[in-house]
Amino acid sequence: MAGPPMRQIKIKTGVVKQLVKEKLMYEKEAKQREEKIEKTKAEDGETYAMKKQENEKDLEETEEYKEACSVLDSVKLEA
């Protein structure tokens, strides 16, 4: 059985792995949204104007998550 220090390392490693997965998924999602916006711009200018606000709001939320992750990472590095 793993001792307390080893257990803590395993827990923290699991947390880091999960954060990395989440970060990659959010970056992938942001890239897909950006591509969708560009595609919509190119294909249909009128429809783009209507969907623009919705897509940009989603993109802003993703960007906010990225910023929160970077702050979290900097705090973890200091601890």
Side-chain angles (χ1 to χ4, degrees), residues 10-20 76:
K10 287 182 179 182
I11 290 171
K12 290 178 181 181
T13 302
V15 169
V16 170
K17 286 179 182 179
Q18 184 62 35
L19 288 173
V20 168
K76 285 183 181 178

Side-chain angles (χ1 to χ4, degrees), residues 12-63:
K12 290 178 181 181
T13 302
V15 169
V16 170
K17 286 179 182 179
Q18 184 62 35
L19 288 173
V20 168
K21 286 181 185 179
E22 288 180 15
K23 181 181 178 199
L24 292 174
M25 289 303 297
Y26 278 106
E27 288 174 351
K28 181 180 175 182
E29 184 178 307
K31 182 178 178 182
Q32 289 173 342
R33 289 179 190 217
E34 289 173 4
E35 290 171 356
K36 181 179 177 182
I37 290 170
E38 292 303 317
K39 181 180 175 185
T40 305
K41 273 185 190 180
E43 289 180 354
D44 196 13
E46 292 178 24
T47 306
Y48 169 73
M50 293 185 292
K51 292 183 179 181
K52 179 180 176 182
Q53 187 175 10
E54 178 184 328
N55 287 335
E56 288 182 349
K57 181 181 176 191
D58 291 340
L59 188 59
E60 287 174 9
E61 290 173 358
T62 303
E63 293 296 326

